Amino acid sequence: MSISKRRSTTPADSPPPVAGNGLLHRRALLGQGFLLAGAAATGFGASGNSAAAEPLKDDPWSLTMGDPTPPRQGPSRFEKNVVRLLSNPNHEPRNSHARTPHHMIQGSITPSALHFTINHSGIPDIDPAKHRLVIHGMVRQPKIFSLEDLDRYPMVTRMAFVECGGNSAPMFSSEPMQVSAQQLHGLVSNSEWTGVLLSTLLDEVGVDPKAKWFLAEGGDSCALHRSVPVKKGFDDAMIALYQNGERVMPGNGYPMRLLLPGYQGNMNVKFLRRIKLIDQPAMSFYEAKTYSQVLPGERFWRFHFLQEVKSFITHPSFGHSLKGPGYYDISGVAYSGTGRIARVMVSADGGKSWAQAALQGDPQPMAFTRFRMPWRWDGQPVVLLSRAWDEAGNVQPLRAEIVAARGQSSQPVKNPNQFINQHYNSVTSWGIDSKGEIKHVYV
Amino acid sequence: MSTCKLLLALGAAGALAAGAALAQSPNLGKTISEADIRAWDIAVLPDGSNLPPGSGTAAQGATIYAQQCALCHGENGVKPAPGYSPMVGLQKFDRMDAPKTITYYEHATTIFDIVRRGMPFMAPRTLSDDQVYAITAYLLAINKLIDEKEVMNAQSLPKVKMPNAGKFIIRFPDRI
């Protein structure tokens, strides 16, 4: 059953009124009838604000044979600025983040070359013929698998986002940092993953019912390891071998990674070489310290498995500027670690009024859903924000709600690469002034 | 058919079904013994399981720390190089931007584990188990979590009382 069918049975589906500051109905422009009706209602139509174009002539590239065809193609040379943002470009001996340029891409699949990566001790140069995955501990029979072995197992393909637990952490700053969606939210990306369900391999080794956890460990030099409940292992965990149809990218865990749909990115252990079934969590460095959250009152969270429901507007956003009043297509991404996106609402007046965004395609569980909202800007200052709901009924919090529950930095954060805390999922607000310049604001 | 024969027949059918299921499993990969996994089996659990034999003291650890760790983490655990964690820090974590140090951990075994698996950063898994016990003892002692003379080994390390123990809340207990 598709989500759109389900949604259409709820009273909430009755078309909401067009919201303040020029938000149009989500079905505007999809059909001519609606366009004409909308044009009549909003005064936005064929006349628009478009100027007359120049007469046409052939450009040089249309008059000569083009470039040779490369065996593996890359983007146009005019797209050189569409790159990831690096936290450690000089490869100093520490961790290294590469953030996805959400404000420069569209759709719901993150191109593999632009998928975010965090590597804690560089990217290992793994020979796939020599790589092994061992599964042992509280099992009937420990086994070791080569990539060739795993390639013969039944595989599944699914969409899933992977998000660092520290994504959006700059929004814990007491003052809004003037940085792009890439810097704020670039540690989440979405791919189509293909691989072997972990449950298939767990059945092969025979898990002792007393095993409640497994640790997953990588073949990188820091041998990064995390504890995962066995429950998740049997539910939907995957040994991912392919990313968007080709082998997993080196920075994303080549030749195999653990994929735990909806769970904190760091738990999706890359370069996976070992799984050990255990009766207690290992309390590894990353679960004991880095991905444990300081709460008000000297209490601390641990095992924050879930990446909770979130959305943010990518177009327009910080780093863009609007070229005068008129029509714009607002869009962004929404996702939740607890299921499908059910609804995204967009506001252009700082949250006073909201309109329902169009969701692109059939939302998949624990995966990006692109949302769109037609908008006619009248040139006055506006504040754009989006808010998502998932099928489990979870709603993306407002910033004030997170600050009330979790607090914020004691001083404004200066370094946007700093992770003062993790698991931040409130709405993001973009303030647009009358010149069309965009700032990150808190409302 | 007697009840007895019926049960036998059902039993035989069940055995056949089980055999068929086993045959359907791809059953690829190789079997391996725990002994042959030993070199990779380095994770230490908080109850002390899988801690190796060996021991070390803070005095021994101070020398190794000065040679192997101080360059990044700072002389005596303070004033680290930019971008690296100090090894001595706060006693209280009452604000979210308080840098987490040795005193943050709930279990001392985590310190042993991360030093053994990942340090020194440029040459991981080159320290002996005795050296790792000694560095762990040093880090605990400079944070005043153990006495300077206390010997750290597989028995004593899991018993070290950590100040934040009991202050951790499992965020999603229903998912365990």
Side-chain angles (χ1 to χ4, degrees), chain A residues 172-200:
Chain A
F172 276 114
S173 175
S174 55
E175 297 290 333
M177 300 190 81
Q178 295 312 312
V179 292
S180 67
Q182 178 174 25
Q183 181 75 69
L184 291 178
H185 304 304
L187 299 176
V188 63
S189 306
N190 190 65
S191 288
E192 185 205 75
W193 304 93
T194 297
V196 180
L197 284 175
L198 180 56
S199 58
T200 305

mmCIF file of all heavy atoms in Angstrom, chain A residues 172-200:
data_model
loop_
_atom_site.group_PDB
_atom_site.id
_atom_site.type_symbol
_atom_site.label_atom_id
_atom_site.label_comp_id
_atom_site.label_asym_id
_atom_site.label_seq_id
_atom_site.Cartn_x
_atom_site.Cartn_y
_atom_site.Cartn_z
ATOM 1 N N PHE A 172 23.347 23.382 17.813
ATOM 2 C CA PHE A 172 23.367 23.506 19.278
ATOM 3 C C PHE A 172 23.988 24.840 19.702
ATOM 4 O O PHE A 172 23.928 25.211 20.869
ATOM 5 C CB PHE A 172 24.164 22.364 19.914
ATOM 6 C CG PHE A 172 23.382 21.099 20.113
ATOM 7 C CD1 PHE A 172 23.713 19.950 19.416
ATOM 8 C CD2 PHE A 172 22.335 21.037 21.023
ATOM 9 C CE1 PHE A 172 23.010 18.764 19.609
ATOM 10 C CE2 PHE A 172 21.623 19.865 21.230
ATOM 11 C CZ PHE A 172 21.961 18.722 20.516
ATOM 12 N N SER A 173 24.613 25.555 18.747
ATOM 13 C CA SER A 173 25.215 26.848 19.080
ATOM 14 C C SER A 173 24.150 27.830 19.562
ATOM 15 O O SER A 173 23.055 27.899 18.993
ATOM 16 C CB SER A 173 25.932 27.422 17.854
ATOM 17 O OG SER A 173 26.404 28.720 18.147
ATOM 18 N N SER A 174 24.492 28.604 20.569
ATOM 19 C CA SER A 174 23.521 29.564 21.113
ATOM 20 C C SER A 174 23.184 30.666 20.106
ATOM 21 O O SER A 174 22.156 31.317 20.223
ATOM 22 C CB SER A 174 24.063 30.172 22.402
ATOM 23 O OG SER A 174 25.334 30.735 22.168
ATOM 24 N N GLU A 175 24.071 30.894 19.125
ATOM 25 C CA GLU A 175 23.781 31.844 18.041
ATOM 26 C C GLU A 175 23.764 31.064 16.727
ATOM 27 O O GLU A 175 24.581 30.152 16.545
ATOM 28 C CB GLU A 175 24.869 32.918 17.956
ATOM 29 C CG GLU A 175 24.981 33.810 19.189
ATOM 30 C CD GLU A 175 23.793 34.750 19.332
ATOM 31 O OE1 GLU A 175 23.184 35.075 18.288
ATOM 32 O OE2 GLU A 175 23.478 35.129 20.471
ATOM 33 N N PRO A 176 22.866 31.431 15.785
ATOM 34 C CA PRO A 176 22.843 30.688 14.517
ATOM 35 C C PRO A 176 24.137 30.895 13.729
ATOM 36 O O PRO A 176 24.519 32.037 13.471
ATOM 37 C CB PRO A 176 21.639 31.272 13.766
ATOM 38 C CG PRO A 176 21.348 32.575 14.432
ATOM 39 C CD PRO A 176 21.844 32.491 15.842
ATOM 40 N N MET A 177 24.805 29.823 13.378
ATOM 41 C CA MET A 177 26.049 29.932 12.619
ATOM 42 C C MET A 177 25.722 30.252 11.173
ATOM 43 O O MET A 177 24.797 29.667 10.596
ATOM 44 C CB MET A 177 26.837 28.619 12.703
ATOM 45 C CG MET A 177 27.191 28.253 14.128
ATOM 46 S SD MET A 177 28.361 26.876 14.193
ATOM 47 C CE MET A 177 29.867 27.779 13.883
ATOM 48 N N GLN A 178 26.472 31.175 10.598
ATOM 49 C CA GLN A 178 26.217 31.586 9.207
ATOM 50 C C GLN A 178 26.968 30.668 8.264
ATOM 51 O O GLN A 178 28.029 31.003 7.741
ATOM 52 C CB GLN A 178 26.569 33.059 9.018
ATOM 53 C CG GLN A 178 25.669 33.991 9.825
ATOM 54 C CD GLN A 178 24.184 33.658 9.660
ATOM 55 O OE1 GLN A 178 23.687 33.467 8.545
ATOM 56 N NE2 GLN A 178 23.465 33.547 10.766
ATOM 57 N N VAL A 179 26.402 29.489 8.102
ATOM 58 C CA VAL A 179 27.010 28.459 7.261
ATOM 59 C C VAL A 179 25.919 27.782 6.437
ATOM 60 O O VAL A 179 24.738 27.891 6.753
ATOM 61 C CB VAL A 179 27.778 27.403 8.102
ATOM 62 C CG1 VAL A 179 29.016 28.012 8.744
ATOM 63 C CG2 VAL A 179 26.884 26.763 9.149
ATOM 64 N N SER A 180 26.356 27.069 5.408
ATOM 65 C CA SER A 180 25.422 26.464 4.455
ATOM 66 C C SER A 180 24.780 25.197 5.005
ATOM 67 O O SER A 180 25.205 24.645 6.016
ATOM 68 C CB SER A 180 26.178 26.110 3.175
ATOM 69 O OG SER A 180 27.102 25.078 3.467
ATOM 70 N N ALA A 181 23.769 24.717 4.266
ATOM 71 C CA ALA A 181 23.155 23.427 4.587
ATOM 72 C C ALA A 181 24.206 22.317 4.527
ATOM 73 O O ALA A 181 24.115 21.322 5.243
ATOM 74 C CB ALA A 181 22.013 23.124 3.623
ATOM 75 N N GLN A 182 25.217 22.499 3.685
ATOM 76 C CA GLN A 182 26.297 21.509 3.604
ATOM 77 C C GLN A 182 27.056 21.442 4.923
ATOM 78 O O GLN A 182 27.342 20.360 5.434
ATOM 79 C CB GLN A 182 27.258 21.893 2.470
ATOM 80 C CG GLN A 182 28.453 20.951 2.326
ATOM 81 C CD GLN A 182 29.303 21.263 1.116
ATOM 82 O OE1 GLN A 182 29.320 22.399 0.632
ATOM 83 N NE2 GLN A 182 29.993 20.274 0.602
ATOM 84 N N GLN A 183 27.368 22.616 5.486
ATOM 85 C CA GLN A 183 28.114 22.638 6.743
ATOM 86 C C GLN A 183 27.228 22.209 7.919
ATOM 87 O O GLN A 183 27.670 21.504 8.819
ATOM 88 C CB GLN A 183 28.672 24.034 6.983
ATOM 89 C CG GLN A 183 29.487 24.182 8.250
ATOM 90 C CD GLN A 183 30.868 23.564 8.155
ATOM 91 O OE1 GLN A 183 31.724 24.032 7.444
ATOM 92 N NE2 GLN A 183 31.082 22.476 8.887
ATOM 93 N N LEU A 184 25.948 22.608 7.881
ATOM 94 C CA LEU A 184 25.042 22.246 8.986
ATOM 95 C C LEU A 184 24.637 20.774 8.922
ATOM 96 O O LEU A 184 24.640 20.077 9.935
ATOM 97 C CB LEU A 184 23.762 23.091 8.942
ATOM 98 C CG LEU A 184 23.834 24.582 9.249
ATOM 99 C CD1 LEU A 184 22.446 25.196 9.091
ATOM 100 C CD2 LEU A 184 24.347 24.814 10.669
ATOM 101 N N HIS A 185 24.236 20.351 7.717
ATOM 102 C CA HIS A 185 23.552 19.052 7.586
ATOM 103 C C HIS A 185 24.247 18.112 6.604
ATOM 104 O O HIS A 185 23.644 17.147 6.133
ATOM 105 C CB HIS A 185 22.118 19.273 7.088
ATOM 106 C CG HIS A 185 21.305 20.197 7.943
ATOM 107 N ND1 HIS A 185 21.103 19.994 9.288
ATOM 108 C CD2 HIS A 185 20.640 21.349 7.635
ATOM 109 C CE1 HIS A 185 20.336 20.976 9.765
ATOM 110 N NE2 HIS A 185 20.050 21.807 8.788
ATOM 111 N N GLY A 186 25.506 18.388 6.290
ATOM 112 C CA GLY A 186 26.182 17.614 5.245
ATOM 113 C C GLY A 186 26.624 16.226 5.653
ATOM 114 O O GLY A 186 27.174 15.484 4.837
ATOM 115 N N LEU A 187 26.371 15.858 6.913
ATOM 116 C CA LEU A 187 26.771 14.520 7.360
ATOM 117 C C LEU A 187 25.599 13.552 7.314
ATOM 118 O O LEU A 187 25.424 12.693 8.188
ATOM 119 C CB LEU A 187 27.394 14.592 8.762
ATOM 120 C CG LEU A 187 28.665 15.454 8.828
ATOM 121 C CD1 LEU A 187 29.175 15.564 10.271
ATOM 122 C CD2 LEU A 187 29.761 14.909 7.927
ATOM 123 N N VAL A 188 24.753 13.728 6.310
ATOM 124 C CA VAL A 188 23.717 12.741 5.994
ATOM 125 C C VAL A 188 23.665 12.634 4.479
ATOM 126 O O VAL A 188 23.832 13.634 3.776
ATOM 127 C CB VAL A 188 22.334 13.128 6.579
ATOM 128 C CG1 VAL A 188 21.813 14.434 5.987
ATOM 129 C CG2 VAL A 188 21.316 12.009 6.374
ATOM 130 N N SER A 189 23.494 11.418 3.990
ATOM 131 C CA SER A 189 23.387 11.167 2.556
ATOM 132 C C SER A 189 22.475 9.957 2.377
ATOM 133 O O SER A 189 22.171 9.254 3.350
ATOM 134 C CB SER A 189 24.763 10.882 1.941
ATOM 135 O OG SER A 189 25.686 11.908 2.238
ATOM 136 N N ASN A 190 22.063 9.750 1.147
ATOM 137 C CA ASN A 190 21.081 8.694 0.884
ATOM 138 C C ASN A 190 21.491 7.908 -0.352
ATOM 139 O O ASN A 190 21.806 8.496 -1.376
ATOM 140 C CB ASN A 190 19.705 9.343 0.646
ATOM 141 C CG ASN A 190 18.584 8.351 0.607
ATOM 142 O OD1 ASN A 190 18.304 7.709 1.616
ATOM 143 N ND2 ASN A 190 17.932 8.215 -0.531
ATOM 144 N N SER A 191 21.503 6.599 -0.220
ATOM 145 C CA SER A 191 21.907 5.747 -1.345
ATOM 146 C C SER A 191 20.966 4.567 -1.492
ATOM 147 O O SER A 191 20.221 4.227 -0.568
ATOM 148 C CB SER A 191 23.319 5.190 -1.117
ATOM 149 O OG SER A 191 24.286 6.196 -1.271
ATOM 150 N N GLU A 192 21.081 3.927 -2.650
ATOM 151 C CA GLU A 192 20.483 2.610 -2.826
ATOM 152 C C GLU A 192 21.582 1.597 -2.521
ATOM 153 O O GLU A 192 22.637 1.611 -3.151
ATOM 154 C CB GLU A 192 19.989 2.452 -4.261
ATOM 155 C CG GLU A 192 19.249 1.156 -4.482
ATOM 156 C CD GLU A 192 19.305 0.715 -5.929
ATOM 157 O OE1 GLU A 192 20.373 0.221 -6.358
ATOM 158 O OE2 GLU A 192 18.292 0.847 -6.621
ATOM 159 N N TRP A 193 21.344 0.750 -1.541
ATOM 160 C CA TRP A 193 22.351 -0.215 -1.088
ATOM 161 C C TRP A 193 21.928 -1.624 -1.483
ATOM 162 O O TRP A 193 20.743 -1.966 -1.393
ATOM 163 C CB TRP A 193 22.508 -0.165 0.433
ATOM 164 C CG TRP A 193 22.853 1.199 0.972
ATOM 165 C CD1 TRP A 193 21.974 2.144 1.428
ATOM 166 C CD2 TRP A 193 24.157 1.775 1.105
ATOM 167 N NE1 TRP A 193 22.666 3.272 1.841
ATOM 168 C CE2 TRP A 193 23.998 3.067 1.654
ATOM 169 C CE3 TRP A 193 25.450 1.325 0.820
ATOM 170 C CZ2 TRP A 193 25.082 3.921 1.919
ATOM 171 C CZ3 TRP A 193 26.519 2.172 1.095
ATOM 172 C CH2 TRP A 193 26.330 3.451 1.632
ATOM 173 N N THR A 194 22.894 -2.421 -1.902
ATOM 174 C CA THR A 194 22.629 -3.818 -2.233
ATOM 175 C C THR A 194 23.606 -4.685 -1.457
ATOM 176 O O THR A 194 24.804 -4.364 -1.394
ATOM 177 C CB THR A 194 22.800 -4.063 -3.740
ATOM 178 O OG1 THR A 194 21.832 -3.271 -4.444
ATOM 179 C CG2 THR A 194 22.594 -5.531 -4.096
ATOM 180 N N GLY A 195 23.094 -5.739 -0.862
ATOM 181 C CA GLY A 195 23.976 -6.617 -0.114
ATOM 182 C C GLY A 195 23.223 -7.796 0.471
ATOM 183 O O GLY A 195 22.088 -8.087 0.074
ATOM 184 N N VAL A 196 23.865 -8.462 1.401
ATOM 185 C CA VAL A 196 23.322 -9.669 2.021
ATOM 186 C C VAL A 196 22.745 -9.277 3.380
ATOM 187 O O VAL A 196 23.408 -8.570 4.152
ATOM 188 C CB VAL A 196 24.434 -10.715 2.196
ATOM 189 C CG1 VAL A 196 23.882 -11.984 2.844
ATOM 190 C CG2 VAL A 196 25.102 -11.020 0.859
ATOM 191 N N LEU A 197 21.528 -9.717 3.655
ATOM 192 C CA LEU A 197 20.959 -9.438 4.972
ATOM 193 C C LEU A 197 21.811 -10.123 6.035
ATOM 194 O O LEU A 197 22.198 -11.289 5.884
ATOM 195 C CB LEU A 197 19.517 -9.923 5.055
ATOM 196 C CG LEU A 197 18.473 -9.067 4.343
ATOM 197 C CD1 LEU A 197 17.096 -9.721 4.411
ATOM 198 C CD2 LEU A 197 18.421 -7.647 4.916
ATOM 199 N N LEU A 198 22.096 -9.404 7.109
ATOM 200 C CA LEU A 198 22.893 -10.005 8.173
ATOM 201 C C LEU A 198 22.185 -11.229 8.749
ATOM 202 O O LEU A 198 22.834 -12.200 9.135
ATOM 203 C CB LEU A 198 23.182 -8.964 9.271
ATOM 204 C CG LEU A 198 24.001 -9.463 10.451
ATOM 205 C CD1 LEU A 198 25.340 -10.050 10.014
ATOM 206 C CD2 LEU A 198 24.226 -8.347 11.465
ATOM 207 N N SER A 199 20.856 -11.197 8.783
ATOM 208 C CA SER A 199 20.111 -12.337 9.342
ATOM 209 C C SER A 199 20.454 -13.628 8.590
ATOM 210 O O SER A 199 20.523 -14.705 9.192
ATOM 211 C CB SER A 199 18.601 -12.068 9.293
ATOM 212 O OG SER A 199 18.192 -11.827 7.967
ATOM 213 N N THR A 200 20.680 -13.530 7.291
ATOM 214 C CA THR A 200 21.054 -14.703 6.493
ATOM 215 C C THR A 200 22.348 -15.313 7.018
ATOM 216 O O THR A 200 22.466 -16.538 7.160
ATOM 217 C CB THR A 200 21.250 -14.285 5.020
ATOM 218 O OG1 THR A 200 20.062 -13.631 4.561
ATOM 219 C CG2 THR A 200 21.538 -15.480 4.125
#
